[in-house]
Amino acid sequence: METYTCTVCDWVYDPQIGDPDCGIEPGINFENLPDDWVCPICGAGKDAFES
């Protein structure tokens, strides 16, 4: 599973961890996150992330 990094604040989305604070379970690939999901640190949208 590939990680994605926020280009605004450098927070890393790791699908093995998910985003439990936002209700995203481990095992969810970045591509499968809801379209309205945002970085939990800075609020940037999915389009601000790079693999």
Side-chain angles (χ1 to χ4, degrees), residues 1-20:
M1 292 186 168
E2 193 169 2
T3 61
Y4 282 76
T5 303
C6 179
T7 60
V8 176
C9 72
D10 291 327
W11 184 79
V12 176
Y13 177 77
D14 183 343
Q16 294 183 17
I17 297 171
D19 184 6

Side-chain angles (χ1 to χ4, degrees), residues 6 8 11 16 19-20 24 32 37 39 41 44 49:
C6 179
V8 176
W11 184 79
Q16 294 183 17
D19 184 6
I24 306 297
N32 296 330
W37 179 86
C39 176
I41 302 300
F49 281 74

Side-chain angles (χ1 to χ4, degrees), residues 14-50:
D14 183 343
Q16 294 183 17
I17 297 171
D19 184 6
D21 293 338
C22 293
I24 306 297
E25 299 285 327
I28 304 294
N29 286 328
F30 185 82
E31 296 83 6
N32 296 330
L33 291 173
D35 290 336
D36 62 349
W37 179 86
V38 296
C39 176
I41 302 300
C42 71
K46 286 176 65 177
D47 60 340
F49 281 74
E50 293 181 346

